[in-house]
Amino acid sequence: MQQRKITFIGAGNMAQAIVAGLVSSGYPASLITVCAPSEHHRAALAARYGVNHHGDNAAGAHDADVIVLAVKPQLMAEVCRQLAATVDFSGKLVLSIAAGVNVSRFYALLGENLAIVRIMPNTPSLVGKGLSGLFAPSGVSESDRAFSADLMCAVGKICWVEDESGINGVIAAAGSAPAYFFLFMDAMQQQAVSMGFDEPTARMMVLQAASGAAALAEANPDQPFSVLRQNVTSKGGTTAAALQVFEQQQLNHTIAEAMQAAVARAEEME
Ligand code: NAD
């Protein structure tokens, strides 16, 4: 990975996850600075990972090569205006992980010539199992694209979208998706409890089935999910009986509607 000076604006969950991933993969902590108003917060992060910290965003970003905007979307405009007042963005790469703030908004806030990549990570990034969708407008260099990809590979896997609207697809298929699986797992746990298992046992069974299914799929990358499902479904057996109920209830249709609702909500938030 190219070594550049990186400044994080915001030292919350997602910034911490990326810093942790970078440092544990050998990126020099001395090249990383985190900026946040709370001294306690950023000093704890600095002590844990050996990175630099600053209470003043502009001072922290001043000599950075890469600025990662990691504040809440509703704070983004204010934070960008403050930065733009004193920081020269030419030659810097800006990465935004904020949901719902599109590239044209960043051009308006930070200048039309801005080198910006929009990134949509998801919460499993906090444990190194994230999926980040990335979008780079046409002017962004190959080197900046490669750096952005390497940065997010520190917390999981990545996929590029060609069109900015693809970010909303990433939200539906990956950003919001951990909650879909938790919903499914919660319902299964509740049912296992009502079948007589205690809660820890029910949780353990469901979690092991979920992570086991994911591990099987990962171990067989050439097999479509539908084939993996068929492989564990004997004709006339118990799995077939359960799957038939999902089919009768048109689970596929419900999933499609739910994902479309996520896209529609993401579009509303832009
Ligand atoms: P968070 O609330 O944990 O962190 C926000 C950080 O911003 C805090 O450290 C806070 O001190 C800091 N902050 C507040 N005001 C500031 C200011 N004026 N200047 C500098 N820093 C300031 O939030 P998070 O979960 O890390 O989310 C950060 C961004 O990542 C958001 O835009 C969110 O949309 C995006 N995101 C998060 C997730 C996720 O799973 N957590 C997923 C996708 C995208």
Side-chain angles (χ1 to χ4, degrees):
M1 180 174 180
Q2 305 157 37
Q3 302 208 335
R4 305 191 190 181
K5 278 191 184 171
I6 312 172
T7 292
F8 288 81
I9 306 295
N13 291 321
M14 200 43 78
Q16 284 195 39
I18 302 171
V19 168
L22 281 173
V23 172
S24 70
S25 64
Y27 198 87
S30 60
L31 294 181
I32 301 173
T33 299
V34 291
C35 298
S38 150
E39 166 144 32
H40 172 70
H41 210 166
R42 54 173 210 272
L45 190 61
R48 186 157 180 202
Y49 298 108
V51 298
N52 311 297
H53 66 99
H54 227 299
D56 179 336
N57 293 340
H62 179 69
D63 70 342
D65 304 311
V66 180
I67 298 175
V68 182
L69 298 171
V71 296
K72 291 284 182 198
Q74 59 272 24
L75 283 176
M76 194 57 87
E78 184 194 330
V79 163
C80 285
R81 277 192 208 101
Q82 282 170 355
L83 284 172
T86 50
V87 176
D88 177 6
F89 279 87
S90 52
K92 295 189 193 302
L93 169 64
V94 174
L95 307 177
S96 166
I97 61 169
V101 187
N102 54 28
V103 162
S104 60
R105 185 87 180 106
F106 285 108
Y107 288 151
L109 288 162
L110 299 174
E112 290 292 329
N113 294 325
L114 191 70
I116 178 150
V117 174
R118 244 189 100 184
I119 300 172
M120 182 47 55
N122 67 358
T123 43
S125 303
L126 305 176
V127 291
K129 287 271 186 184
L131 183 288
S132 300
L134 284 80
F135 168 72
S138 55
V140 174
S141 69
E142 274 309 312
S143 155
D144 282 349
R145 287 173 69 101
F147 184 86
S148 313
D150 288 345
L151 185 90
M152 296 318 292
C153 282
V155 289
K157 297 192 174 175
I158 62 144
C159 73
W160 283 97
V161 296
E162 291 307 314
D163 191 280
E164 191 170 10
S165 63
I167 286 285
N168 293 342
V170 172
I171 291 175
S176 301
Y180 316 159
F181 289 101
F182 291 140
L183 176 80
F184 208 85
M185 289 158 75
D186 183 41
M188 285 180 65
Q189 182 185 345
Q190 284 182 37
Q191 186 55 30
V193 167
S194 65
M195 287 170 165
F197 293 99
D198 59 42
E199 222 166 85
T201 306
R203 180 187 165 93
M204 187 262 290
M205 287 196 302
V206 171
L207 190 50
Q208 195 68 357
S211 64
L216 274 176
E218 272 180 341
N220 295 282
D222 299 332
Q223 299 211 315
F225 296 136
S226 58
V227 171
L228 291 167
R229 178 172 58 73
Q230 281 157 22
N231 290 349
V232 293
T233 312
S234 323
K235 206 164 177 240
T238 56
T239 310
L243 293 177
Q244 200 183 356
V245 175
F246 288 138
E247 235 166 73
Q248 280 162 359
Q249 302 287 333
Q250 296 192 302
L251 183 67
N252 279 5
H253 181 72
T254 306
I255 290 169
E257 272 196 8
M259 288 175 67
Q260 285 160 12
V263 170
R265 182 68 189 123
E267 286 169 354
E268 273 169 21
M269 288 164 72
E270 278 177 354

